[in-house]
Amino acid sequence: MISIPLAFGFGNLAMLGWLGAAAAPILIHLWMRHTHRDTPWAAMEFLRQAIQRNSRRLKLQQWLLLAIRTLLLVLLALAATKPYLSNWNLLTGGPQMHRVLVIDATMSMQYAEGEQSSFARAKQLATEMLDSGRPGDVYSLCVLAETSADIVAGPSADPRRIAAQVGSLEATYASGRLGDVLPTIADLMDQAETNHRSLSGHEVLFFSDAAKHTWQSATAGQADQSTLAELTERAQVTLVDVGPAEPTGVSIHHLRVASGLSTTAEPLHLVADVTNYGDTPVSDLPVQLLVQGTSIDEQVLTLPANSTLPVEFDARFTESAWQSLSVRTRGDALAADDQAWLALDVRPSVRTLVVEGTPRAARYLRHALDPGGGTASPVQVVVAAEGALVDQPLVDFDCIFLCNIAQFTPAERTLLERYVLQGGSLIFVLGDRVMADSYNQPLAASPLGWGDWALASAAGDWGLTLQLPPVESPAAANAGWLPAGVGPLKANQQPGIDPLEYRHPIAAAFLDHERAGLLSTPVSRYFQLQPTSTAQVALALPNGDPLLVTSKHGQGMVAMLATTATLDTVDPNTNQPWTLMPAWPSFLPIVRELVAFGLAATWADDQAEIGQAIAGPVPASFSATTLKVERPDQQTAEVPIIREDATANWQYVSTNLPGIYTAGDSLARVAVNVPAMESDLTRVDQSLLPEAVQVQSAPPDASVAGESLATNTSLHRTFLYFVLVLLLIEPLMAWWFAGRAV
């Protein structure tokens, strides 16, 4: 069907004038029939008789010429109105449409087949639709990407303004979820209805690669399905698929320290994950390790189809300083994920303070931290008695172990929390002197009240099984800073430790190393821990009770071990040690991985992704009010120093580029990486989308895609072509008819 807009304005008055002009030939013809007078003449009588013999042919010729000349004017008038062919509108001169263009700017849209990326194709198609739109239509623009949520234009009746906005868009390195942009679309439609009351409806056009990670949230059974379904009730929704037909590529993600401490005393073992997303194997793939931008090692991999393999490097550092590391491979169609970054604060050694509540309570722990006992050890250990905690300059230590400490004074509590907030790593190792109420009320938010814990502890039944509810109250979770509440003492008859599928980084070190003894480590006595809502359970016992719990607090890390770290703590009922862990092969790697995990959480943040805020502590001696942050593109930004109580921190939120961000001259470096899920270009299952969502595939050549994908097909060019043809036919027909008139 053809739909012609007839909104008021000068353009429409001109159109009415053209339609009036189209009637001129008919009026002139009728007028001339009544303005002549009959005069008898012999010669004309002979001519009249000849004409009568051919009158039917002449009338037909005249009507044909009249029809052609009239049709010329009608087609010119129609072409001036830019009519369109619509699937749902009748021939009407009524209100115009509101079209919302949604451009997917997530990282996966940088995938380039040939010279044109999916993002460039989306922009070109959107621009062509704007160019072929009807006068009076209203347009809006928004961008689908986490770091571009504020890029919104319209509603506007000026398509050139929207086209300029489309042309200025740039692809991002961020991820995105369809549900994040749906409320923005609804707001734009509300604004259009308020500002343009003559609108006949809305049309929403998504220009996207239809990647599963972007659209999955709006499929059947997912959180945004109902929101998208509601949108289809208000608007015609079309997904224009601009993604590659058969995407392939290799990505590198999750560069990490697999073993070792980031010191000059020992080498680091680094691992990164390399994934082949194609259906064919990749051979002779070079992967390089770069330190400070210089390649120091290279591996050559063969990747099977649709597989992920680790690539391993060993690196030794001779200089104590922040180090920028990256692993990269050769470029492919999606170059954004061909490199992963990591920032490390390399120090001469890890300075560790071990505080023991009883003599010799930390002797096994000290040997696990520093087996060699030499000056070149990666861990330097200082052992102190419980009463000397307040006399130690805690800021001088990277990690603190508190072994079998009965309780804490208010001054000790203040020092310890300040230490963690400023980036310290604090590990509580429990024992027979521990008073649960001292841990639960002053140090942590107990899931139960202090009196409930006291009653449970006073019951004296070490075999008591108490099922504790998780910490659900935000106020309770924020009131303290320990990773778990300390419950009653319990007995365990099953030997072994559950690594919980090796999900936690501490447990991951034991994956494929069953002979390290973790699965057979005996623990017979322990305190029942109740983790807070923000804590992570690293290791558990066979009955499911947590054994080792960690959590982030401020810029630091806090951990709690439910049992002791010595063989000297004995169960009086059985005369057996609480645990044989200190004598087990798994003890040393557990301790070392615990230290490494704490340092990774405080020294470097190799898990930061595009769009996430990065932050860090500022030394107390730093007197400035702002801090300079240098971005990967060498641009700089000034950020304010946030001072609260005894802490000072910096924070930077505009992490829209992957790479290393440097705070201050050498205060800190933070690695920001692209989201791993954006490398997977698997399309969403279209059958799971709401039925009203129309899906159209964009042709590979975007230069001819505008008309084929447009919901409303423009006809004004076709009408002009007909006018040109008729202008050639009309004089030829008039000449031919004149020659045969007699």
Side-chain angles (χ1 to χ4, degrees):
M1 291 173 285
I2 298 177
S3 180
I4 305 175
L6 293 175
F8 292 103
F10 292 106
N12 296 309
L13 291 176
M15 180 193 71
L16 294 175
W18 279 104
L19 290 177
I26 301 176
L27 296 175
I28 293 173
H29 175 76
L30 296 175
W31 174 259
M32 292 301 296
R33 291 182 60 184
H34 299 283
T35 56
H36 68 277
R37 292 182 301 172
D38 295 336
T39 302
W41 184 24
M44 292 301 296
E45 182 67 18
F46 175 78
L47 181 61
R48 183 182 64 82
Q49 294 177 0
I51 291 175
Q52 287 179 346
R53 289 194 298 268
N54 300 310
S55 60
R56 292 184 179 179
R57 177 174 58 82
L58 292 175
K59 287 182 180 180
L60 178 61
Q61 293 174 355
Q62 291 173 357
W63 279 111
L64 284 175
L65 289 174
L66 178 63
I68 291 174
R69 292 161 182 167
T70 304
L71 184 59
L72 275 171
L73 296 176
V74 172
L75 290 177
L76 283 174
L78 290 175
T81 65
K82 289 189 175 182
Y84 64 95
L85 188 64
S86 173
N87 292 327
W88 59 85
N89 286 338
L90 297 175
L91 184 63
T92 176
Q96 306 304 300
M97 291 289 294
H98 172 225
R99 291 184 172 83
V100 183
L101 308 182
V102 185
I103 309 295
D104 186 346
T106 56
M107 191 197 78
S108 62
M109 291 285 287
Q110 295 189 38
Y111 190 97
E113 285 185 327
E115 297 181 356
Q116 190 179 50
S117 66
S118 300
F119 184 73
R121 184 183 304 174
K123 290 175 57 177
Q124 184 171 347
L125 289 175
T127 302
E128 289 183 359
M129 286 191 174
L130 290 168
D131 292 341
S132 62
R134 299 175 303 147
D137 278 350
V138 178
Y139 300 94
S140 296
L141 169 70
C142 58
V143 175
L144 198 169
E146 287 181 351
T147 58
S148 302
D150 56 340
I151 300 180
V152 179
S156 173
D158 184 1
R160 294 172 298 179
R161 174 174 172 264
I162 303 299
Q165 292 283 345
V166 172
S168 65
L169 294 179
E170 295 182 358
T172 72
Y173 293 89
S175 60
R177 190 173 60 90
L178 184 64
D180 297 333
V181 77
L182 293 179
T184 303
I185 297 173
D187 291 341
L188 289 171
M189 291 194 299
D190 292 339
Q191 295 177 33
E193 292 173 358
T194 301
N195 300 332
H196 306 271
R197 298 185 180 277
S198 61
L199 292 176
S200 62
H202 305 275
E203 181 181 358
V204 180
L205 295 162
F206 290 94
F207 298 89
S208 172
D209 57 6
K212 183 178 180 180
H213 52 76
T214 302
W215 286 79
Q216 185 69 20
S217 65
T219 56
Q222 301 299 317
D224 299 318
Q225 179 197 12
S226 59
T227 307
L228 182 59
E230 292 173 2
L231 182 65
T232 60
E233 295 177 359
R234 297 184 60 185
Q236 173 70 35
V237 179
T238 302
L239 167 59
V240 182
D241 187 354
V242 297
E246 297 180 357
T248 60
V250 173
S251 70
I252 296 182
H253 293 287
H254 196 198
L255 175 59
R256 59 199 182 275
V257 177
S259 62
L261 300 175
S262 52
T263 68
T264 57
E266 66 178 13
L268 284 178
H269 188 60
L270 305 171
V271 177
D273 295 332
V274 185
T275 302
N276 176 16
Y277 288 99
D279 294 330
T280 58
V282 176
S283 59
D284 299 328
L285 179 70
V287 182
Q288 295 178 320
L289 171 66
L290 293 85
V291 177
Q292 303 296 102
T294 302
S295 177
I296 66 170
D297 196 2
E298 180 175 314
Q299 305 281 348
V300 178
L301 301 181
T302 296
L303 289 175
N306 299 302
S307 65
T308 298
L309 293 178
V311 57
E312 303 179 5
F313 295 96
D314 289 322
R316 179 181 287 275
F317 302 96
T318 59
E319 181 183 1
S320 300
W322 278 98
Q323 302 289 341
S324 300
L325 290 76
S326 67
V327 172
R328 72 181 181 189
T329 185
R330 65 190 178 202
D332 55 16
L334 186 58
D337 60 3
D338 292 338
Q339 190 165 6
W341 284 266
L342 176 64
L344 289 177
D345 185 5
V346 179
R347 304 186 180 187
S349 62
V350 178
R351 300 159 299 176
T352 304
L353 174 65
V354 179
V355 181
E356 50 186 8
T358 58
R360 295 162 51 93
R363 59 173 179 158
Y364 294 97
L365 183 61
R366 178 172 59 83
H367 288 303
L369 290 169
D370 183 13
T375 57
S377 173
V379 180
Q380 299 295 323
V381 182
V382 175
V383 180
E386 177 179 357
L389 182 61
V390 294
D391 299 328
Q392 297 290 334
L394 303 187
V395 70
D396 292 341
F397 298 98
D398 303 309
C399 184
I400 297 177
F401 284 84
L402 302 176
C403 300
N404 202 10
I405 306 298
Q407 57 185 342
F408 300 91
T409 66
E412 291 171 338
R413 295 194 298 269
T414 301
L415 286 175
L416 292 175
E417 183 170 15
R418 182 179 302 172
Y419 168 78
V420 175
L421 288 172
Q422 293 177 342
S425 183
L426 184 64
I427 298 98
F428 291 87
V429 180
L430 305 184
D432 56 355
R433 296 185 67 248
V434 167
M435 300 173 61
D437 55 346
S438 176
Y439 281 71
N440 294 325
Q441 186 174 0
L443 288 176
S446 171
L448 300 180
W450 177 85
D452 294 330
W453 282 119
L455 290 175
S457 300
D461 184 1
W462 288 0
L464 176 65
T465 299
L466 183 61
Q467 298 297 328
L468 303 176
V471 178
E472 299 291 345
S473 170
N478 295 329
W481 48 275
L482 288 193
V486 181
L489 197 61
K490 293 184 63 175
N492 176 47
Q493 304 299 328
Q494 296 177 271
I497 294 177
D498 183 0
L500 301 176
E501 299 180 354
Y502 304 96
R503 294 188 296 266
H504 196 281
I506 295 176
F510 291 90
L511 184 62
D512 299 327
H513 294 84
E514 287 75 10
R515 298 183 62 182
L518 179 68
L519 303 181
S520 61
T521 304
V523 177
S524 59
R525 291 290 183 268
Y526 65 96
F527 284 95
Q528 185 178 38
L529 302 181
Q530 181 59 39
T532 62
S533 58
T534 58
Q536 293 180 307
V537 179
L539 301 172
L541 295 170
N543 61 4
D545 285 344
L547 179 65
L548 179 61
V549 182
T550 66
S551 69
K552 184 84 172 176
H553 184 65
Q555 297 297 324
M557 188 277 299
V558 188
M560 182 176 289
L561 183 65
T563 189
T564 185
T566 178
L567 300 177
D568 298 336
T569 302
V570 177
D571 179 3
N573 294 334
T574 62
N575 291 324
Q576 297 296 321
W578 278 23
T579 177
L580 296 179
M581 183 188 299
W584 224 252
S586 60
F587 185 63
L588 189 148
I590 288 177
V591 172
R592 291 293 297 270
E593 292 301 326
L594 183 56
V595 173
F597 174 74
L599 297 181
T602 58
W603 286 5
D605 189 1
D606 62 333
Q607 301 300 320
E609 288 188 354
I610 293 292
Q612 294 180 347
I614 57 177
V618 175
S621 59
F622 197 87
S623 59
T625 58
T626 61
L627 186 72
K628 183 176 70 174
V629 175
E630 182 177 345
R631 294 161 45 87
D633 56 2
Q634 282 73 55
Q635 300 294 320
T636 59
E638 294 286 337
V639 297
I641 303 297
I642 305 171
R643 301 184 185 275
E644 296 180 357
D645 299 329
T647 64
N649 300 278
W650 62 271
Q651 186 181 55
Y652 183 69
V653 298
S654 300
T655 56
N656 59 342
L657 292 177
I660 302 295
Y661 291 74
T662 303
D665 294 333
S666 59
L667 179 62
R669 293 185 183 179
V670 180
V672 176
N673 288 289
V674 299
M677 63 181 180
E678 285 292 322
S679 299
D680 186 0
L681 275 70
T682 303
R683 280 176 169 75
V684 68
D685 186 350
Q686 299 176 7
S687 64
L688 300 179
L689 295 173
E691 294 182 359
V693 176
Q694 300 181 7
V695 181
Q696 298 185 21
S697 297
D701 184 6
S703 62
V704 298
E707 295 184 0
S708 64
L709 294 175
T711 304
N712 300 316
T713 303
S714 176
L715 296 177
H716 68 281
R717 291 186 178 88
T718 304
F719 288 156
L720 290 176
Y721 293 147
F722 276 115
V723 169
L724 179 61
V725 172
L726 292 177
L727 285 174
L728 296 175
I729 293 177
E730 191 274 342
L732 290 176
M733 291 183 64
W735 172 78
W736 176 259
F737 292 160
R740 296 171 56 87
V742 180

